[in-house]
Every structure is written in structure tokens, then in C-alpha cells.
Amino acid sequence: MATDMKVLATGTSVAPRSRLRTFVDTARGGFWLGWKIESNWTDAFRFLTYQIARPVGGALILVFMYYAVARGNRGPVLGFFVVGTAFWPLVLGGVQATVRGVLEDREAFRMIRPIYTSPISYRAYLLGRSLAGQAAWGSAAVFVTLAVGVIFLHIHLTITAASVALVLAATVFGVAGILAIGLLCVGAAFSTTHDAWQMPEAIGAALFLICGAIFPLTVLPAALRGFGAAFPLTWWLEAVRRVLLPSNAPRSFPSFGMPAVFGMLVLTTIGGAFVCAGLFSLAERRARRLGKLDRETAF
Amino acid sequence: MSARTLTEVPPRPGPYVRLLRAVHGRAYPRVIGVGRDKTWTFYEILLPLLGTFAFVYVYRALHAPERFVGYVIMGGATTAVWLNVMFMMASQLWWEKKDGNLELHMMAPCGLLPILLGMSAGGIFMATVRATSVVVLGSLVFHVSFAPTQIPAFILVFVVALVGLYALGVALSSLFLVWGREAWHTTQIFMEPVYLVSGFYFPVRVLGLATSAVASLIPLTLSLDAIRQLLYPHEHPKLLGVWTEIGILAVLAVVLVWAARTLLMRMERRARADGTLAQGY
């Protein structure tokens, strides 16, 4: 970016960049902006405390629910809870940051017009904002919650080079799924007024149930189970749990082997990305047609 | 219009009339808004309800007794109240500041407290509608029935807890008045950690007596425990007796109302002096 400015200052023409490069640069810009907004409101210690308090609190709720019923007995289901709550903040952070980014640009900073009309991909910008939210709200939470599980709850996690690689591979697809859902929510937020602020939290709560974030999908009614299986997040959590937890841990898809779980993860992520991108385009076109893109609703 | 009308000074209403008018004026949009724009039922009742259902399925996965399902549904209803206190009371002045409406509130000839009282009245109405919906829908879906054993005690717990909670909301709103962006992040930290220490989804006794005692400073803790005792008198592992809890809740409510008034006046003065009243971000 600095080089571009120098070239512009000397009056020479800027070499055209590929579309991919422009997309990545825009996403990087969105990430940088999102990270600054999420993190520079306080010092590093307070920031970290705030980021881990919610997920650790969420994990401990499940632990105490478990102890209220099991009365001190430890079982494999405890690991299931901890892994689910450890990775869930990535979902909440990603969806919340994307929607809140649009709403703040529209309602608070009033920057949506210059951003939307600038020669960048608006989607790339939103993806960058979502990734910043995931990094800010989810990254520390994953490690801290898993560490709490291992140290204080004596949960056995399989940590080897191969398992870490598999978890990272699955998480790449999980993150892609979160980005897709974030785009979908932004599409809905274009046409929603003040309720849009509550939307990320509400969508997160619904996905919490549908994707079996904290319980095996086998306990859900069959129709809901089928619906949940259409989401990449469900397969992502299942894949991560299979890699990290021992074989006696509960499973959402007991009849599926590991390759089938990874296959479904890839398939649902690609399918979900196409569907969400398509719906986002439709919502974006509709919002432009109706003049809703920059319409402020907080009056 | 006659000259007499132009020069005539309308009689100034007394302080109580002004107070009631301000309360009514601020409560009005919240009460009317419930029936006007129905989209909130989707985002604020149906979708969050699914999150509550997730906890029911956790107990189902653990083969827990049926009363635990009742615990979760009551916890879900309480979540509706707590979210209302946090987002529509505690952070409301911050939202107003951000949107540029706070100066209008400050200039109104009634003071901030009646406006916050009106917000509380409207908020209590909204939260009650939402909490009732959670209980009704949860009971229908999971076939749970609630039969409180002592109706007067049940109503008393509910009323005293609401007074305490909304006073806490006013007290927090005064803090949010002087905060900038940290206000939003603070609302986030008051979610799961509060659900945990107040025992939203499990009997608070499980946390141990010391933690439960500290958590009782939030009116939710004792009110939930009392409500569960009244719903499941024989099975629920109680923290204290119902009437002791009602007594503590009443004392808490008085203290919190006093704290809310004092804090609000102090913080308003400080925000004026520091020039942070109109500083949204």
C-alpha cells in the first residue's frame, strides 16, 4: 500500500493487480481495521481477560450441569462439552464481528457509503472483518478452554503432530463455514432494522442447538438431526472431537468413519459457501434496489 | 390565536406529575413497540429459545431427571430478563450517547432518574412478555408443567427480584455513562460468567456455599433458587429457605435502589465535568 502511494506521488501509473491479489489485500485491510476496533479499546491484559471470561464461563456451566447430574463422576461426555465450548467462540466471534461491522459502519461510524462505493470487493472487506472477530474472540478462548479442561478437569486430549495437523485442517474448513454464515447474516442485516444488533447472538444460539455444539446430535429429533447435518460447523466440531478425544467419547454421527466425516466437512463447506454467497448477492441487490444499504435505523 | 393565549403562562405541573409523565413517556415506546414491530419475536424469542433448548438436550444426553429440564426453562426465562437489564437498561444510556440522543435526555426538565424509571417500567414489560413466552413454549415443546406451591411467595420473589435487578441496571447504566467502547465489551463479560455463578442452568448449591454466597449479590441467584424451591419443594437442593431468600432479596433491592440513585448522580456530575457525556466512541 505504501509503495502504491509513492508511485501515485511521483505521477507514474500503478501496475494493475490481479483480482485475487486485490481481494486478498482488501480482506487484509478489513482484518486490520476489524482487529483495531476489537482490540485497541483497552490494554492487553484486560483485553485477554475479557476474551476468555465468556468461553471459560460457558464451559464451566456445562461442567457444573454435568456434576449436578453425575455427582462427581467423570465420564467421556465431559471432554465432549469442553471441546465444543472451546471452539464455539470462533463461530460467535466471526458472525458477530461481520454483522456488527456492517451495523457500526451504517449506524455509528457512518462509513458504509465510502467503503461500499470504493473500488474494493465489499465481500473481501467483510471476510476480513469476520476473520478479525474470530481471531480476537476465538483464538485465545480455544487454547485457554482446552487448557482448563486438561489441567483442572483431567480430560484426556490426543495431542500429537498428526492430531494438531488434522485439527488445523478441519478448522480451515470450519472457519470457511463461519465466513459463509457471517455473509448470510449480513445479507439479512441489510434489510433488518434495530433487531439486527441482536441477530448475531440469536443466530449463534440457534446454531448452538442445530450444530450439536454441546451435545451429541443423536439426542435431537430425526428432522432436526438432518437439518444440522447440512451445516459445515456440525462436521467441523465432529471432526475436531474425533481427533482430540478418545474413542469412547460420544459421537454425533456414530455410523460415520473419520474419512466420511472429513468428506462431509469438505462437501458441506463448499456447498454452504456457494449457497450463502448466492443468498448474500440476492440480499445485497435487493437492499441496493430498495435503498436500504445505508439507511440508518437507530433514531 | 388570541393575545391572551400567547402571553398566558400554563400552570407548571407539580414534581410528581412531571415524574409520572416522564416515566410514562419513556415507558411508552417500549410497551407499544412490543406490539408494533413483530420481527423482535423472531430475533429475541424464537432464536434465543433454541439456545436454551440446547441446554435441555445436554440434560437429555446425560439422562438427567425431568426437573432439570424445568431448571433450564426457568433459566432461559431468566436469561430474557437479564439480557433486558444488560442491553436495554445498563447500556441504554451508552446507546443514546452513541446515537446523539443523550443530550436530549439531559435537557429534558425531569432529570435522568425518571427517564430511567420509565425505561425500567417498559423493560419489565418487555422482559415479562419474553420470559413468559420462553416458559410457555419450553413447557409445550418438552412437556414440562410448572405448579408453584405457594403463589404469594412466588409473586413476591418475582417482584422483589425485578426491583433489585432493574435497580442494578440503573446503577450499571451510570457506569456506562462515563465509558466509551469498553461499555459494549463489558456487556459481553456479564453473559456466561453471570449465567455460571447465578446457576441459570443448574442448582446454585452445586457451586458450593462460599461461591453461592458471593453470587447472591446478584439478585438473580437467590430469586432463581427460591423459584426452583417453590416449583420443586422436595427435590431441589436449596441454598437457603424461601422466606430467608425473599428477605435477603428485599434488602438487596433497597440497597441497589439507593446505590443506583447515588451512582447515577455522581457519574452524571463526573461525565459533565470530564466532558464525556457526548463521547460515544
Side-chain angles (χ1 to χ4, degrees):
Chain A
M1 199 177 279
T3 317
D4 288 350
M5 294 307 287
K6 274 183 199 158
V7 172
L8 281 173
T10 54
T12 48
S13 60
V14 180
R17 286 178 297 182
S18 68
R19 285 179 69 181
L20 179 67
R21 173 77 197 278
T22 313
F23 191 89
V24 172
D25 281 352
T26 308
R28 213 172 54 193
F31 181 89
W32 178 85
L33 176 65
W35 177 259
K36 291 284 176 194
I37 291 174
E38 297 291 344
S39 65
N40 73 359
W41 56 276
T42 187
D43 56 85
F45 176 75
R46 202 164 151 211
F47 171 70
L48 195 68
T49 310
Y50 273 52
Q51 303 320 304
I52 60 175
R54 231 189 130 172
V56 170
L60 290 178
I61 287 173
L62 291 168
V63 169
F64 282 106
M65 283 172 76
Y66 178 79
Y67 282 132
V69 177
R71 292 200 174 86
N73 297 322
R74 287 197 177 82
V77 80
L78 208 51
F80 190 96
F81 292 159
V82 169
V83 172
T85 42
F87 284 86
W88 196 250
L90 289 172
V91 180
L92 274 186
V95 174
Q96 205 161 54
T98 330
V99 176
R100 212 157 50 85
V102 171
L103 294 178
E104 283 180 344
D105 284 347
R106 188 174 79 187
E107 315 274 347
F109 302 131
R110 293 171 173 91
M111 286 297 291
I112 198 163
R113 286 175 207 162
I115 290 174
Y116 193 81
T117 52
S118 63
I120 58 166
S121 159
Y122 191 56
R123 284 179 199 205
Y125 165 74
L126 290 176
L127 295 184
R129 292 291 300 259
S130 176
L131 285 170
Q134 291 181 52
W137 287 89
S139 50
V142 172
F143 296 110
V144 173
T145 312
L146 289 179
V148 166
V150 171
I151 297 166
F152 297 107
L153 305 171
H154 309 293
I155 288 161
H156 178 72
L157 294 181
T158 313
I159 310 276
T160 60
S163 69
V164 171
L166 279 173
V167 168
L168 285 177
T171 304
V172 168
F173 287 97
V175 167
I178 297 167
L179 294 176
I181 291 169
L183 272 188
L184 187 66
C185 292
V186 168
F190 281 148
S191 299
T192 315
T193 55
H194 54 274
D195 292 318
W197 291 99
Q198 271 89 44
M199 185 203 293
E201 200 76 30
I203 300 272
L207 290 172
F208 202 56
L209 172 78
I210 301 295
C211 298
I214 51 170
F215 56 85
L217 275 192
T218 44
V219 296
L220 275 183
L224 276 180
R225 215 180 310 150
F227 187 54
F231 286 87
L233 304 181
T234 312
W235 297 99
W236 166 49
L237 291 176
E238 177 73 357
V240 167
R241 282 182 178 124
R242 287 196 185 210
V243 174
L244 289 179
L245 295 174
S247 56
N248 64 343
R251 291 175 173 183
S252 285
F253 302 97
S255 57
F256 280 66
M258 187 68 129
V261 169
F262 267 87
M264 285 302 292
L265 172 61
V266 175
L267 209 65
T268 49
T269 306
I270 294 170
F274 274 109
V275 170
C276 291
L279 289 173
F280 173 80
S281 297
L282 285 176
E284 188 187 13
R285 268 204 297 274
R286 183 174 177 272
R288 280 178 67 160
R289 199 177 64 241
L290 299 175
K292 286 186 167 183
L293 266 183
D294 60 343
R295 188 181 292 172
E296 290 170 27
T297 59
F299 40 77
Chain B
M1 198 176 284
S2 68
R4 183 188 156 85
T5 319
L6 280 173
T7 53
E8 201 174 39
V9 179
R12 185 175 162 79
Y16 292 109
V17 175
R18 286 208 305 276
L19 174 91
L20 287 176
R21 280 184 186 168
V23 171
H24 173 257
R26 193 58 190 88
Y28 180 83
R30 294 194 165 187
V31 175
I32 293 301
V34 168
R36 191 164 284 173
D37 182 6
K38 305 288 191 303
T39 50
W40 74 275
T41 52
F42 182 68
Y43 290 114
E44 291 184 34
I45 292 181
L46 287 178
L47 290 183
L49 189 65
L50 296 180
T52 302
F53 286 179
F55 288 97
V56 173
Y57 282 110
V58 168
Y59 277 131
R60 289 267 157 98
L62 293 171
H63 306 289
E66 273 306 290
R67 75 184 152 92
F68 282 90
V69 176
Y71 286 173
V72 171
I73 291 170
M74 291 314 293
T78 317
T79 311
V81 179
W82 181 243
L83 288 179
N84 192 279
V85 168
M86 288 312 298
F87 285 102
M88 303 200 76
M89 284 304 301
S91 49
Q92 186 66 35
L93 290 184
W94 178 73
W95 290 108
E96 303 285 11
K97 185 162 71 167
K98 210 159 58 70
D99 295 336
N101 291 333
L102 187 64
E103 290 98 324
L104 300 175
H105 286 331
M106 303 301 283
M107 285 194 301
C110 60
L112 264 186
L113 205 58
I115 291 176
L116 285 162
L117 273 177
M119 269 186 210
S120 307
I124 287 172
F125 177 74
M126 289 174 91
T128 308
V129 171
R130 205 178 137 184
T132 310
S133 311
V134 171
V135 173
V136 171
L137 291 172
S139 313
L140 288 174
V141 172
F142 293 106
H143 310 291
V144 180
S145 56
F146 297 103
T149 46
Q150 303 170 49
I151 300 290
F154 193 83
I155 293 170
L156 199 59
V157 171
F158 196 69
V159 171
V160 178
L162 280 180
V163 172
L165 275 172
Y166 279 84
L168 180 65
V170 175
L172 287 174
S173 78
S174 61
L175 290 176
F176 282 40
L177 194 63
V178 289
W179 282 345
R181 277 193 294 150
E182 61 265 49
W184 187 85
H185 294 277
T186 308
T187 55
Q188 299 297 305
I189 210 172
F190 278 119
M191 299 288 119
E192 274 80 358
V194 170
Y195 300 165
L196 168 70
V197 296
S198 294
F200 270 46
Y201 300 113
F202 55 84
V204 73
R205 184 80 190 264
V206 177
L207 290 174
L209 275 178
T211 314
S212 309
V214 176
S216 298
L217 291 174
I218 306 170
L220 287 169
T221 312
L222 290 180
S223 56
L224 257 176
D225 192 64
I227 285 172
R228 284 169 179 163
Q229 282 187 62
L230 294 166
L231 290 174
Y232 306 102
H234 305 299
E235 299 112 312
H236 178 69
K238 66 181 179 184
L239 188 61
L240 299 165
V242 172
W243 289 102
T244 314
E245 289 184 340
I246 290 175
I248 296 173
L249 279 171
V251 173
L252 257 180
V254 172
V255 171
L256 284 169
V257 167
W258 172 81
R261 192 170 174 276
T262 313
L263 266 176
L264 188 66
M265 286 194 303
R266 277 198 190 166
M267 290 301 179
E268 187 187 335
R269 239 189 344 259
R270 191 179 141 188
R272 282 177 193 272
D274 296 349
T276 54
L277 259 187
Q279 195 178 49
Y281 274 97

